[in-house]
Coordinates of all heavy atoms in Angstrom, one line a residue:
D60 N -92.5 -33.5 -71.5 CA -91.7 -33.9 -72.6 C -90.3 -34.4 -72.2 O -89.3 -34.1 -72.9 CB -91.6 -32.7 -73.6 CG -91.4 -33.1 -75.0 OD1 -91.6 -34.3 -75.3 OD2 -91.1 -32.3 -75.9
K61 N -90.2 -35.1 -71.1 CA -88.8 -35.5 -70.6 C -88.5 -36.9 -70.9 O -87.5 -37.4 -70.6 CB -88.8 -35.2 -69.1 CG -88.6 -33.7 -68.8 CD -88.4 -33.5 -67.3 CE -88.3 -32.0 -67.1 NZ -88.7 -31.7 -65.7
I62 N -89.5 -37.6 -71.6 CA -89.2 -39.0 -71.9 C -88.8 -39.1 -73.4 O -89.4 -38.6 -74.2 CB -90.4 -39.9 -71.7 CG1 -90.9 -39.8 -70.3 CG2 -90.1 -41.4 -72.0 CD1 -92.2 -40.6 -69.9
K63 N -87.6 -39.7 -73.6 CA -87.1 -39.8 -75.0 C -88.0 -40.8 -75.8 O -88.1 -42.0 -75.5 CB -85.7 -40.4 -75.0 CG -85.1 -40.5 -76.3 CD -84.8 -39.2 -77.0 CE -84.3 -39.4 -78.4 NZ -84.4 -38.2 -79.2
L64 N -88.7 -40.2 -76.8 CA -89.6 -41.0 -77.7 C -89.1 -40.8 -79.1 O -88.3 -40.0 -79.4 CB -91.0 -40.4 -77.5 CG -91.7 -40.5 -76.1 CD1 -92.9 -39.7 -76.0 CD2 -91.9 -42.0 -75.7
G65 N -89.7 -41.6 -80.0 CA -89.3 -41.6 -81.4 C -89.9 -40.4 -82.1 O -91.0 -40.0 -81.9
D66 N -89.1 -39.8 -83.0 CA -89.6 -38.7 -83.8 C -90.3 -39.3 -85.0 O -91.2 -38.7 -85.6 CB -88.4 -37.8 -84.4 CG -87.7 -37.1 -83.2 OD1 -88.4 -36.6 -82.3 OD2 -86.5 -37.0 -83.2
T67 N -89.8 -40.5 -85.4 CA -90.5 -41.3 -86.4 C -90.5 -42.7 -85.9 O -89.9 -43.0 -84.9 CB -89.8 -41.3 -87.8 OG1 -88.5 -41.7 -87.5 CG2 -89.8 -39.9 -88.4
G68 N -91.2 -43.6 -86.6 CA -91.2 -45.0 -86.2 C -92.1 -45.8 -87.1 O -92.6 -45.2 -88.2
P69 N -92.4 -47.0 -86.8 CA -93.2 -47.8 -87.6 C -94.6 -47.2 -87.7 O -95.1 -46.6 -86.8 CB -93.3 -49.2 -86.9 CG -92.2 -49.2 -85.9 CD -91.9 -47.7 -85.6
N70 N -95.3 -47.4 -88.9 CA -96.7 -47.0 -89.0 C -97.5 -48.1 -88.4 O -97.9 -49.0 -89.2 CB -97.0 -46.7 -90.4 CG -98.5 -46.4 -90.5 OD1 -99.2 -46.2 -89.5 ND2 -99.0 -46.3 -91.7
W71 N -97.8 -48.1 -87.1 CA -98.5 -49.2 -86.5 C -99.9 -49.3 -87.0 O -100.6 -50.3 -86.6 CB -98.5 -49.0 -85.0 CG -97.1 -49.1 -84.4 CD1 -96.4 -48.1 -83.8 CD2 -96.3 -50.3 -84.3 NE1 -95.2 -48.6 -83.3 CE2 -95.1 -49.9 -83.6 CE3 -96.4 -51.6 -84.7 CZ2 -94.1 -50.9 -83.4 CZ3 -95.4 -52.5 -84.5 CH2 -94.3 -52.2 -83.8
D72 N -100.4 -48.3 -87.7 CA -101.8 -48.3 -88.1 C -102.0 -48.9 -89.6 O -103.1 -48.9 -90.1 CB -102.4 -46.9 -88.1 CG -102.4 -46.4 -86.6 OD1 -102.8 -47.2 -85.7 OD2 -102.1 -45.2 -86.4
E73 N -100.8 -49.3 -90.1 CA -100.8 -49.7 -91.5 C -101.8 -50.9 -91.7 O -102.4 -51.0 -92.8 CB -99.4 -50.2 -91.9 CG -99.0 -50.1 -93.3 CD -97.6 -50.3 -93.5 OE1 -96.9 -50.9 -92.6 OE2 -97.1 -49.9 -94.6
E74 N -101.9 -51.7 -90.8 CA -102.7 -53.0 -90.9 C -104.2 -52.8 -90.5 O -104.9 -53.8 -90.3 CB -102.1 -54.1 -90.2 CG -100.8 -54.5 -90.7 CD -100.1 -55.6 -89.8 OE1 -100.5 -56.7 -89.9 OE2 -99.1 -55.2 -89.1
R75 N -104.6 -51.5 -90.3 CA -106.0 -51.3 -90.0 C -107.0 -51.9 -91.0 O -106.8 -51.7 -92.2 CB -106.3 -49.8 -89.9 CG -107.6 -49.4 -89.2 CD -107.7 -49.9 -87.8 NE -108.7 -49.3 -87.0 CZ -109.3 -50.0 -86.0 NH1 -109.0 -51.2 -85.7 NH2 -110.2 -49.4 -85.3
K76 N -108.0 -52.6 -90.5 CA -109.0 -53.3 -91.3 C -110.3 -52.6 -91.1 O -110.5 -51.9 -90.1 CB -109.1 -54.8 -91.0 CG -107.8 -55.5 -91.0 CD -107.5 -56.2 -92.3 CE -106.2 -57.0 -92.3 NZ -105.0 -56.5 -91.6
P77 N -111.3 -52.9 -91.9 CA -112.6 -52.4 -91.7 C -113.1 -52.9 -90.3 O -112.8 -54.1 -89.9 CB -113.5 -53.0 -92.8 CG -112.5 -53.3 -93.9 CD -111.2 -53.6 -93.2
I78 N -113.8 -52.1 -89.6 CA -114.2 -52.4 -88.2 C -115.4 -53.4 -88.2 O -116.4 -53.0 -88.7 CB -114.5 -51.2 -87.4 CG1 -113.3 -50.3 -87.3 CG2 -115.1 -51.5 -86.0 CD1 -113.6 -48.8 -86.9
D79 N -115.1 -54.6 -87.7 CA -116.3 -55.5 -87.6 C -116.4 -56.1 -86.2 O -117.2 -57.0 -86.0 CB -116.1 -56.6 -88.6 CG -115.0 -57.6 -88.3 OD1 -114.3 -57.4 -87.3 OD2 -114.9 -58.6 -89.1
T80 N -115.6 -55.6 -85.2 CA -115.6 -56.1 -83.9 C -115.6 -55.0 -82.8 O -114.9 -54.0 -83.1 CB -114.4 -57.0 -83.7 OG1 -114.4 -58.1 -84.7 CG2 -114.3 -57.7 -82.3
I81 N -116.3 -55.2 -81.7 CA -116.2 -54.3 -80.6 C -115.8 -55.0 -79.4 O -116.2 -56.1 -79.1 CB -117.6 -53.6 -80.4 CG1 -117.8 -52.6 -81.5 CG2 -117.7 -52.9 -79.0 CD1 -119.2 -52.1 -81.7
V82 N -114.8 -54.4 -78.7 CA -114.3 -55.0 -77.4 C -114.6 -54.0 -76.3 O -114.2 -52.9 -76.3 CB -112.8 -55.3 -77.5 CG1 -112.3 -56.0 -76.2 CG2 -112.5 -56.2 -78.7
I83 N -115.2 -54.6 -75.2 CA -115.6 -53.8 -74.1 C -114.6 -54.0 -73.0 O -114.2 -55.1 -72.7 CB -117.0 -54.2 -73.5 CG1 -118.1 -54.3 -74.6 CG2 -117.4 -53.3 -72.4 CD1 -118.6 -53.0 -75.1
H84 N -114.2 -52.8 -72.4 CA -113.2 -52.9 -71.3 C -113.7 -52.0 -70.1 O -114.7 -51.3 -70.2 CB -111.9 -52.2 -71.7 CG -111.2 -52.8 -72.8 ND1 -110.2 -53.7 -72.7 CD2 -111.4 -52.6 -74.2 CE1 -109.8 -54.1 -73.9 NE2 -110.5 -53.4 -74.8
H85 N -113.1 -52.2 -68.9 CA -113.3 -51.2 -67.9 C -111.8 -50.8 -67.4 O -110.9 -51.5 -67.7 CB -114.1 -51.8 -66.7 CG -113.4 -52.8 -65.9 ND1 -113.6 -53.0 -64.5 CD2 -112.5 -53.8 -66.2 CE1 -112.8 -54.0 -64.1 NE2 -112.2 -54.5 -65.1
T86 N -111.7 -49.6 -66.8 CA -110.4 -49.2 -66.5 C -109.9 -49.9 -65.2 O -108.7 -49.9 -65.0 CB -110.3 -47.6 -66.2 OG1 -111.1 -47.4 -65.0 CG2 -110.8 -46.8 -67.3
K87 N -110.8 -50.4 -64.4 CA -110.5 -51.1 -63.2 C -109.8 -50.1 -62.2 O -109.1 -50.4 -61.3 CB -109.5 -52.3 -63.4 CG -109.7 -53.4 -62.3 CD -108.8 -54.5 -62.6 CE -108.8 -55.5 -61.5 NZ -107.9 -56.6 -61.7
N88 N -110.2 -48.8 -62.4 CA -109.7 -47.7 -61.6 C -110.9 -46.9 -61.1 O -112.0 -47.0 -61.7 CB -108.8 -46.7 -62.4 CG -107.3 -47.2 -62.4 OD1 -106.5 -46.7 -61.6 ND2 -107.0 -48.2 -63.2
P89 N -110.7 -46.1 -60.1 CA -111.9 -45.2 -59.7 C -112.2 -44.4 -60.9 O -111.4 -44.0 -61.7 CB -111.3 -44.4 -58.5 CG -110.1 -45.1 -58.0 CD -109.6 -45.9 -59.2

Side-chain angles (χ1 to χ4, degrees):
D60 207 13
K61 286 184 179 152
I62 303 179
K63 180 67 185 166
L64 300 167
D66 296 320
T67 57
N70 175 10
W71 295 113
D72 298 317
E73 207 169 21
E74 294 172 75
R75 190 60 163 153
K76 307 269 183 320
I78 296 160
D79 71 358
T80 301
I81 287 165
V82 182
I83 310 284
H84 301 264
H85 69 147
T86 65
K87 211 178 167 182
N88 273 260

